[in-house]
Amino acid sequence: MKTDFKFSNLCGTVYRKGNLVFTPDGNSIISPVGNRVTVFDLVNNKTETLPFENKRDIRRLALSPNGNLLLSVDELGQVLLVNYRKRTVLHYFNLKDKVRDIQFSPDGRYFAVGLGRTVEVWRSPGYTREFAPFELHRKYAGHYDDITHISWAPDSRFFLTSGKDMVARIFSVDPIEGFKPTTLAGHRHAVVGAWFAKDMSAVYTVSADGAICVRRFRPYGVEENLTFGEFPRDDEGNLVRTVWFTESRHYAMQTARVQSAAFSWATGLMVLGFTNGVFGIWEMPEFNMIHSLSISRKKINTIAINPSGEWLAFGSSKLGQLLVWEWQSETYVLKQQGHFYDMSCVAYSGDGQYVATGGDDAKLKVWNALTGYCFITFTEHTSAVTAVHFSKGSQVVLSASLDGTVRAYDLVRYRSFRIFTSPTPVQFTSLAVDPSGEIVCAGCQDTFEIYMWSMQTGKLLDVLSGHEGPISALAFRPDGLSLASSSWDKSVRLWDAFDRSKIVERLDHNNEVLTLAYRPDGKELCASTLDGQIHFWDVLKATATGTIEGRRDIAGGRKANDRQTAANSSSGKCFNSLCYSADGTAVLGGGNSKFVCLYDRRSSILLRKFQVSKNQSLDGVQDKLNSRLMTEAGPADLIDSDGIDSDTEKQVDQSLPGVKSGDKSNRVLKPEVRTRDVKFAPTGRQWAAASTEGLLIYSLDETLIFDPFELDEDVTPDSIRALARTGDYLRALVNAFRLNEQVVIRQVYESIPPLDVALLTKDFPEAYLERLLKFIASIMESSQLLEYHLRWVSGLLSNHGTFVKTRSVALQPVLRMLQRSILRMHQDIGSVCDKNYYSLGYLLAQGKRAAEEAEAGENAGDITMNDVFASFNDGDEQEDAMELDATEVPVST
């Protein structure tokens, strides 16, 4: 089994805090998710998490106008310079202060950074690695409180800054004759944002109380407006005194305060987001409201507008919401929300297309494993979801919850069709479904019993009792003959689900059993105990076959309030979730630490140790703590000194009437890094972990890895291509797989004539069969040769069916991967065919109608597209068909 899994995507979390940024083409939006960056492709309906991490949660993002450079700034001012198109980090830099805002100039030559009360303008770095790519151009001061917003002028010569000192200031990048830094006052609350008009004829400023000021530039004492940037002179050549004045003042009549704002040069629209979850769109400078809408229950933290001004993006940090709204058609382009609290469990569907996650917010979400989008959320549970499971066919997903119910959901109609309950109220912590999908079992932590229901009728069939502690995990054997249960009573029991007269096997352990898992062939079972060990059992003989001591491997870092070092701490040194790989040769384990461990079953050694997060904003990531950050009031990380990250809703004391402020000593609690569940995909090519950061997906990347197989000196790319040119396709294809270079394999594979496929599949060596099937499955979705691929698959499975059947366990991941690719292509082509079928039926019906209305029967066979559209009521459609008439397409009646 290959172990070179790499981080590929982050699902389950779409936005945490910071600002949103649209790409220059306006088709994608970049969102900060913890210390990572996720790109949502709104046109191709895909998500991608960039392969780098900041040290802490990202506070600000900035993308250059040409879309090449991305600046990612975390909470402490650490900057990553990223080549956005190549997804590589070019440079690390420290601004040594908390960044309030960062913006590139429109020409891309500079970027301005707001640090406290000052602004620093830096020259934009190049696209290659340099020793010192950041060069400071100039520092600007003048604000008496922290800066809140920075915006540039269209000509990149000036920029505007807004601050909490209730003023906006205008600065120039370079000294300009006749210009002095200008202060625009008049607001009574902190200024949220300020922007230049596109023609530089006005400046718009917005304050937190909803006041919007339109300011004009004119000579002193003259009622004639000027374009800012042009400083007139009198007849003697002296500069004329100019002033800014407030032309008009408007108010957004909302009961809440303005939390975020954005302005579009393309459309001249201003968008304001309020603390009550309402946003409004106004046309400037007249301040005409276009419309207002409530999109969230919490405050809107950030707003972004794409370059064309058509799409508006909103982010709500409290709910983890990301919305993209098209204001002209008043429709959602994107509406995603992660789990409000921690993600507790994860399950893959049988074909690997879907991933279901349950969270402590009582929600069950189903994600598309390919695109990374959540397409359905079930909210019927009233308490935390503790376990999820797909049934046979992947059309039904079940969830167990602490509210005492197990619910079954239909993924075709998107509804809950079955509710399983117990005679007395209990809290379910584990769930299992037999391979046929007929029996549903759930274990509880109250009465230490296992409840068994029928999926068809929903009736309670049996109650399995005997455990003396809470049930921690359940699992059916892959053949469905027995049910395994683990408990805190230091035992694992094997039940016969269909014959209660048989003796229940008891597998005793020395410590509490936390979880268990069956090997895919059903002959072995592994269980994790509280002392950090993984025990392996032969199911048929009920004997122990091995033990892995994983206490040191799973040990995490030191928490902020720990009195002991990470090495001496006893907490978190055990596995609370286990999973076998698809071929059963490896075991994956996760726990309450920052690591996920992958063990080889045969040798019982640690193959790889994955660190799920390096985000120092989470508790338990660092192995050693800095003693300088320990104060008399506690760790400095838990004290919000500047109030930026403080949550005023937590500080307000509403227990007594009239009390406006609560406990000011409330601390900012850091979430603890941990992995609550891990699962391998049925294809064996990826695995998922439900962690504090979200749903982390690790996949195999074979495109850049040289992995030869039975390689000789005479097997080279040139010799392989020469064999293909001479018509020796079988030797060429076999040698290509021995070299194992994807480019060479594809060239040889696609050069084989379709008529020779049937003959080649008969003589193809069985030693390379798995590699060929895996290759076909990997290129099927990106290739147009669908019939060609199906010929290969049909021929290989027909001629080598006996070999595939005898090695069904080893080939199961490859066959599932192949099935998923074929099923997805079938769905895509089916939808296109359905649309074409109805379109052609409509045109034929219209042609028949036009033929019946024709005066002469002999002309009915020469009906053109003009005659078809002539029967429509709309005359404009007839004009649109004039170009098609030249082809004289006959419609058969």
Side-chain angles (χ1 to χ4, degrees):
M1 174 188 169
K2 294 186 177 180
T3 61
D4 50 340
F5 290 94
K6 294 183 179 180
F7 173 80
S8 63
N9 206 354
L10 173 63
C11 303
T13 311
V14 293
Y15 172 76
R16 283 284 176 82
K17 58 182 176 181
N19 64 316
L20 302 172
V21 178
F22 272 101
T23 53
D25 58 4
N27 295 332
S28 301
I29 187 167
I30 306 174
S31 171
V33 182
N35 67 331
R36 298 181 183 271
V37 178
T38 301
V39 181
F40 295 87
D41 191 336
L42 304 176
V43 175
N44 298 320
N45 196 31
K46 286 187 178 181
T47 65
E48 177 191 3
T49 303
L50 304 187
F52 61 84
E53 289 184 79
N54 284 71
K55 286 187 176 181
R56 290 179 176 266
D57 285 341
I58 297 174
R59 174 168 285 176
R60 304 298 297 179
L61 292 174
L63 186 64
S64 61
N66 57 7
N68 288 336
L69 293 179
L70 175 69
L71 295 177
S72 173
V73 189
D74 65 11
E75 294 175 338
L76 297 183
Q78 300 274 350
V79 183
L80 293 186
L81 174 64
V82 181
N83 187 329
Y84 176 72
R85 301 194 185 279
K86 293 187 177 181
R87 273 50 171 172
T88 56
V89 178
L90 300 177
H91 190 67
Y92 296 86
F93 188 71
N94 190 359
L95 292 172
K96 300 179 181 179
D97 198 357
K98 294 186 177 181
V99 175
R100 270 60 181 178
D101 197 8
I102 181 169
Q103 296 290 338
F104 272 96
S105 62
D107 59 4
R109 296 176 56 194
Y110 303 95
F111 66 89
V113 186
L115 301 171
R117 303 176 185 179
T118 63
V119 179
E120 295 181 357
V121 175
W122 297 74
R123 297 185 186 275
S124 295
Y127 306 139
T128 58
R129 295 182 183 272
E130 303 175 22
F131 177 72
F134 288 88
E135 180 184 351
L136 181 62
H137 177 67
R138 186 174 281 111
K139 287 186 177 181
Y140 302 84
H143 281 281
Y144 293 97
D145 206 339
D146 290 339
I147 291 171
T148 58
H149 183 259
I150 298 175
S151 65
W152 286 84
D155 59 2
S156 300
R157 294 191 302 159
F158 305 93
F159 61 90
L160 268 166
T161 61
S162 310
K164 294 182 180 179
D165 54 358
M166 300 180 290
V167 299
R169 289 180 172 270
I170 305 176
F171 298 99
S172 63
V173 178
D174 295 305
I176 298 176
E177 187 180 3
F179 171 78
K180 295 181 180 180
T182 308
T183 301
L184 305 178
H187 286 287
R188 298 183 179 181
H189 289 78
V191 180
V192 177
W195 301 269
F196 286 100
K198 187 176 183 180
D199 56 359
M200 300 281 288
S201 62
V203 166
Y204 309 123
T205 58
V206 182
S207 61
D209 60 349
I212 296 92
C213 295
V214 180
R215 307 171 190 268
R216 300 286 184 179
F217 185 66
R218 65 172 56 170
Y220 180 76
V222 180
E223 296 185 359
E224 182 182 353
N225 297 334
L226 298 175
T227 300
F228 181 67
E230 301 175 359
F231 302 100
R233 296 177 181 269
D234 56 14
D235 297 337
E236 299 178 357
N238 299 320
L239 290 170
V240 177
R241 180 184 175 187
T242 54
V243 295
W244 285 92
F245 77 102
T246 304
E247 182 185 61
S248 59
R249 187 185 298 269
H250 309 280
Y251 296 92
M253 304 302 293
Q254 292 285 342
T255 57
R257 296 170 62 87
V258 176
Q259 180 69 24
S260 53
F263 179 75
S264 172
W265 284 338
T267 58
L269 298 179
M270 179 176 290
V271 185
L272 304 181
F274 299 89
T275 54
N276 59 355
V278 176
F279 81 92
I281 305 176
W282 286 268
E283 186 180 8
M284 301 301 292
E286 293 82 8
F287 201 68
N288 298 325
M289 174 177 277
I290 296 178
H291 75 253
S292 178
L293 185 68
S294 176
I295 59 173
S296 179
R297 294 171 294 167
K298 301 295 181 179
K299 59 185 178 183
I300 300 174
N301 294 84
T302 181
I303 300 176
I305 307 176
N306 73 334
S308 63
E310 298 173 346
W311 291 348
L312 314 176
F314 304 94
S316 177
S317 177
K318 187 71 176 178
L319 296 177
Q321 259 184 341
L322 175 62
L323 309 171
V324 179
W325 174 263
E326 186 176 1
W327 65 272
Q328 292 175 333
S329 61
E330 299 186 8
T331 56
Y332 282 109
V333 178
L334 175 70
K335 188 177 183 181
Q336 292 285 299
Q337 179 178 351
H339 286 283
F340 188 74
Y341 297 114
D342 278 356
M343 190 181 297
S344 59
C345 48
V346 60
Y348 270 98
S349 62
D351 54 5
Q353 290 195 50
Y354 306 128
V355 183
T357 59
D360 291 342
D361 57 355
K363 292 181 180 179
L364 173 66
K365 291 179 175 287
V366 185
W367 309 79
N368 189 311
L370 179 65
T371 65
Y373 281 112
C374 173
F375 62 89
I376 185 63
T377 301
F378 299 105
T379 59
E380 282 79 4
H381 283 295
T382 58
S383 188
V385 178
T386 55
V388 293
H389 202 288
F390 278 93
S391 70
K392 183 181 179 181
S394 303
Q395 293 185 351
V396 176
V397 61
L398 296 98
S399 62
S401 172
L402 294 179
D403 61 3
T405 63
V406 175
R407 294 177 180 267
Y409 301 94
D410 186 358
L411 294 183
V412 177
R413 299 175 180 85
Y414 299 131
R415 63 182 180 89
S416 173
F417 69 91
R418 193 81 73 227
I419 302 176
F420 308 97
T421 58
S422 58
T424 58
V426 295
Q427 291 182 318
F428 293 117
T429 57
S430 54
L431 178 67
V433 183
D434 77 320
S436 65
E438 297 294 331
I439 304 297
V440 179
C441 295
C444 65
Q445 64 181 11
D446 306 90
T447 61
F448 316 149
E449 295 174 335
I450 302 171
Y451 294 86
M452 186 180 299
W453 299 275
S454 170
M455 176 69 83
Q456 295 292 336
T457 62
K459 293 182 179 180
L460 182 64
L461 300 178
D462 202 353
V463 178
L464 308 180
S465 59
H467 279 294
E468 299 173 0
I471 310 297
S472 57
L474 293 176
F476 269 100
R477 208 165 76 180
D479 57 9
L481 296 179
S482 66
L483 171 70
S485 63
S486 63
S487 172
W488 291 3
D489 63 0
K490 304 180 182 180
S491 71
V492 172
R493 298 177 186 243
L494 304 179
W495 313 78
D496 193 312
F498 303 100
D499 188 359
R500 290 298 305 277
S501 62
K502 293 186 177 180
I503 299 175
V504 178
E505 292 284 354
R506 179 186 173 101
L507 311 178
D508 290 321
H509 297 73
N510 295 327
N511 280 276
E512 290 82 355
V513 184
L514 303 181
T515 186
L516 59 83
Y518 267 108
R519 202 166 65 183
D521 60 2
K523 297 180 180 180
E524 187 179 76
L525 179 145
C526 67
S528 167
T529 54
L530 192 60
D531 58 353
Q533 293 184 346
I534 302 176
H535 302 272
F536 296 93
W537 298 83
D538 188 325
V539 177
L540 300 178
K541 299 179 182 179
T543 57
T545 59
T547 302
I548 293 178
E549 177 61 53
R551 185 178 178 85
R552 292 179 179 270
D553 301 330
I554 196 62
R558 184 176 180 179
K559 301 178 180 61
N561 292 320
D562 281 354
R563 302 293 184 182
Q564 299 173 325
T565 61
N568 295 329
S569 177
S570 60
S571 64
K573 294 186 177 181
C574 56
F575 298 93
N576 56 20
S577 60
L578 292 174
C579 181
Y580 274 95
S581 61
D583 56 3
T585 60
V587 176
L588 189 70
N592 292 332
S593 76
K594 58 182 178 179
F595 294 117
V596 173
C597 301
L598 182 66
Y599 293 96
D600 181 68
R601 170 60 195 99
R602 181 173 300 176
S603 60
S604 298
I605 62 173
L606 179 67
L607 297 177
R608 284 198 64 184
K609 192 159 69 168
F610 304 91
Q611 184 171 346
V612 296
S613 179
K614 298 179 181 179
N615 187 1
Q616 296 181 11
S617 296
L618 302 177
D619 207 6
V621 173
Q622 294 176 289
D623 294 327
K624 296 181 180 180
L625 300 180
N626 191 345
S627 60
R628 292 181 298 175
L629 299 179
M630 183 61 68
T631 65
E632 295 179 354
D637 289 341
L638 305 184
I639 303 173
D640 187 15
S641 58
D642 57 1
I644 290 182
D645 299 322
S646 63
D647 193 348
T648 56
E649 298 176 3
K650 292 182 179 179
Q651 296 180 358
V652 173
D653 185 5
Q654 298 180 351
S655 59
L656 295 175
V659 177
K660 296 183 179 180
S661 62
D663 186 7
K664 297 296 184 181
S665 64
N666 281 344
R667 294 293 182 259
V668 180
L669 299 179
K670 296 172 65 174
E672 179 184 348
V673 60
R674 57 179 176 174
T675 303
R676 299 182 63 177
D677 198 7
V678 292
K679 285 291 188 299
F680 256 103
T683 59
R685 297 183 54 80
Q686 66 180 17
W687 57 269
S691 68
T692 310
E693 292 277 274
L695 183 64
L696 302 173
I697 297 179
Y698 287 77
S699 303
L700 287 174
D701 183 14
E702 297 181 345
T703 57
L704 303 177
I705 298 175
F706 178 64
D707 184 18
F709 182 72
E710 299 179 357
L711 190 62
D712 295 333
E713 293 183 359
D714 57 344
V715 178
T716 62
D718 293 336
S719 64
I720 293 172
R721 294 188 182 98
L723 288 173
R725 285 194 295 269
T726 58
D728 195 351
Y729 298 113
L730 184 59
R731 285 186 58 196
L733 188 59
V734 170
N735 288 346
F737 277 107
R738 292 169 67 184
L739 187 64
N740 202 22
E741 286 191 9
Q742 296 294 320
V743 177
V744 179
I745 294 174
R746 187 158 188 170
Q747 289 177 353
V748 175
Y749 173 79
E750 294 181 351
S751 65
I752 299 174
L755 297 178
D756 295 348
V757 171
L759 183 61
L760 290 177
T761 53
K762 283 185 179 182
D763 301 331
F764 193 79
E766 293 179 343
Y768 301 92
L769 182 63
E770 181 180 358
R771 290 172 173 261
L772 179 56
L773 290 174
K774 186 184 296 185
F775 168 74
I776 295 174
S778 64
I779 68 169
M780 182 173 289
E781 297 180 25
S782 60
S783 175
Q784 298 178 353
L785 308 175
L786 179 59
E787 184 181 358
Y788 185 70
H789 301 319
L790 293 178
R791 283 192 179 191
W792 272 99
V793 173
S794 177
L796 291 172
L797 296 181
S798 300
N799 296 314
H800 303 279
T802 306
F803 175 79
V804 173
K805 188 174 182 180
T806 55
R807 297 196 59 196
S808 59
V809 176
L811 294 176
Q812 191 175 21
V814 180
L815 296 177
R816 283 178 175 168
M817 183 180 173
L818 194 63
Q819 179 190 9
R820 185 183 65 177
S821 301
I822 295 175
L823 183 61
R824 186 174 292 121
M825 294 296 295
H826 177 268
Q827 293 174 349
D828 294 343
I829 295 176
S831 61
V832 173
C833 291
D834 289 341
K835 293 180 181 178
N836 292 341
Y837 174 78
Y838 292 115
S839 299
L840 291 173
Y842 176 73
L843 291 175
L844 291 174
Q846 293 297 330
K848 186 176 180 180
R849 177 183 171 188
E852 291 175 353
E853 295 178 355
E855 295 181 359
E858 59 272 14
N859 296 330
D862 297 327
I863 299 172
T864 62
M865 293 302 294
N866 261 349
D867 299 324
V868 174
F869 287 111
S871 61
F872 296 169
N873 294 328
D874 192 356
D876 296 336
E877 297 179 353
Q878 182 177 0
E879 297 177 2
D880 296 337
M882 292 298 293
E883 297 180 359
L884 297 175
D885 191 35
T887 59
E888 295 290 326
V889 180
V891 179
S892 176
T893 53

